[in-house]
Amino acid sequence: MELRPTQEGFLGELAKDFTFAALARLAAGFGERLKGDGIGRVVVGHDARFLAQEMAEEAAGVLSALGLETSLLPGPSPLPLFGFALEREGAAGLYLSAGRRPAHFQGVKLRLGPGKPLPGQEVPFLDPPAARGSFATLDVKRAYQEHLAQSAGGVPKRKGVVYLDAMGGAGGGVLPGVWKLLGLEAELRELHPLPHPLFYGVDPDPRPENLKTLQVLLKAQEPPALGLALDGDACRLRVYLPGAEALGDEAVLGHLKEALGGKGVEGDGEGGFRFPWHLKEPDPFLAALLLLGVLL
């Protein structure tokens, strides 16, 4: 079986078509494409899925062996942090993730540069070098959190309770540091913040049926309160009000525009919110911070 091309890379099922061998050939083809375009630097990241770290190391080793300056983000990293790393390093990128899909899927999102997705149909599968090259570890979490705090600006320091369900994906542990940087007074309660390759038994898609704990807590929580949920690679956000009432994407986008006072924000209708002045990738963490000022 073959990996299925997408508009920004490839998707497959672990052990069936998404294997170490297939990834190595994919990485080799991507690396040659980068060299042909005169791109010499690449950052590799991954989500929380089974063997994602080992597969990211394999891809990084192949890219390095091709002569590319290669860096690997440590541990599961949310997509906006990966996007921040590309902008900071001026690099291309390979990110292992299957987004909201079930745990037995895996995929890659390819970037020729910040905000420049590469369709899978444009990437050849080539034989990788016999040996693997060395690569550096690139830790930009603190720098990303500081950038996030700066972009959020003067978030009102309102009291209340904010639940954030990371669903066992790559998005846990990011907002607490930003909370401290901003001196926010609301109580942040993270749910399922530790990475889990099976996402605690549900699909990492933040729909009500996959958020039973969050639903129970919000039904019992008195206002002011807010419920937030991320998908597997933390590129999408779902918003829930006290009583577990879901807020639609158009309403969320309207509230973000209200919070920004005319500053640019784009929504894709599927929980992705991009702020072009902040990052070239969608950033649910910034969306969450901005919503505090209008929904809490």
Side-chain angles (χ1 to χ4, degrees), residues 3 91-92 185 201 263 269 293:
L3 296 178
E185 296 183 11
K263 208 169 183 180

Side-chain angles (χ1 to χ4, degrees), residues 100 236 238 248-250 253 266-273:
R100 298 169 287 174
R236 302 185 186 280
R238 295 297 182 187
D249 283 353
E250 285 300 318
L253 183 60
E266 303 167 355
D268 64 5
E270 296 184 353
F273 301 100

